[in-house]
Amino acid sequence: MAREFQRGHKARIGDLTAGTDLYVGVQIGGPGLTFDISCFGLDADERLSDDRYFVFFNQPASPEQAIQQLGEQAGDTQSFRVTLDRIPPHIRKLSFTAALDGAGQVSRIGSGYLRIVAGGEEVARYSFNGSEFSTERAVMLGDFYLKDVWRFAAVGQGFDGGLEALLKNFGGEAVEEEEAPEPAQAAPAFAPPAAPALAFAP
């Protein structure tokens, strides 16, 4: 059964699953809202020192494919494959974010979640809704971070700017669209969830 997280809760990923080949699903939406959901691969100073680890709609994978954006599936608005034992040593944190594309505020979000799936089985879920935010235009949803071992933190922190502001916050630079480029311990093996997930209000 999936462990339920609330904002600020943390856990070692090894306590959630023995797997290192993980599916991360995000479900988020609201009336008239469209979101860009991204993953920032950050260094020890929590900076995007290598732009190749900004995984988003225009750059859907890191160079060694350790972080891949998979798109909409299994009831999730956006999803990722994260292979922890392939992430290079200079990447110490993966920050999953959702930024509004167009007008609106994240306070208008209905129910949403970030979930971790290992071998087709959901092992962790952080649920949230718009009442936790106000005029912000982006949300830092959750982090995978390396502190001796890989850990997960449910963040749920609003951010005033959109995707470009998030990028600048992490020390990155805007990527021009025309420049876009196209496991030993992983038990259970990678598998996305089979059935659509049901969104629910926390």
Side-chain angles (χ1 to χ4, degrees), residues 159-179:
F159 189 85
D160 285 337
L163 185 60
E164 188 170 335
L166 273 171
L167 187 60
K168 290 179 180 176
N169 176 67
F170 289 130
E173 297 179 0
V175 178
E176 295 295 329
E177 288 195 14
E178 57 269 27
E179 295 176 3

Side-chain angles (χ1 to χ4, degrees), residues 84-171:
L84 292 176
D85 50 8
R86 293 177 63 185
I87 294 174
H90 70 286
I91 301 298
R92 311 288 289 183
K93 176 183 279 192
L94 306 181
S95 179
F96 295 92
T97 68
L100 276 166
D101 180 10
Q105 299 175 345
V106 295
S107 59
R108 293 171 53 200
I109 293 172
S111 58
Y113 60 75
L114 180 148
R115 62 183 180 140
I116 303 171
V117 175
E121 178 184 355
E122 184 174 321
V123 297
R125 177 181 289 239
Y126 161 52
S127 300
F128 55 88
N129 62 50
S131 68
E132 301 172 44
F133 310 107
S134 57
T135 60
E136 300 97 337
R137 292 186 38 77
V139 183
M140 298 177 185
L141 298 169
D143 295 337
F144 287 9
Y145 65 100
L146 189 59
K147 185 179 179 184
D148 301 324
V149 295
W150 281 101
R151 301 166 187 259
F152 170 67
V155 178
Q157 178 183 335
F159 189 85
D160 285 337
L163 185 60
E164 188 170 335
L166 273 171
L167 187 60
K168 290 179 180 176
N169 176 67
F170 289 130

Side-chain angles (χ1 to χ4, degrees), residues 20-21 81 83 85-86 183-187 189-190:
T20 57
D21 198 351
R81 181 180 185 178
T83 312
D85 50 8
R86 293 177 63 185
Q185 302 173 43
F190 175 77

Side-chain angles (χ1 to χ4, degrees), residues 46-68:
E46 301 193 1
R47 307 294 284 174
L48 184 69
S49 54
D50 187 338
D51 285 344
R52 298 175 303 166
Y53 289 86
F54 172 36
V55 176
F56 69 123
F57 59 88
N58 205 37
Q59 184 168 266
S62 61
E64 70 299 291
Q65 307 291 306
I67 312 159
Q68 302 173 47

Side-chain angles (χ1 to χ4, degrees), residues 23-49:
Y23 172 100
V24 178
V26 175
Q27 201 279 339
I28 185 170
L33 302 182
T34 303
F35 285 90
D36 291 325
I37 300 169
S38 310
C39 177
F40 291 84
L42 308 175
D43 63 19
D45 295 322
E46 301 193 1
R47 307 294 284 174
L48 184 69
S49 54

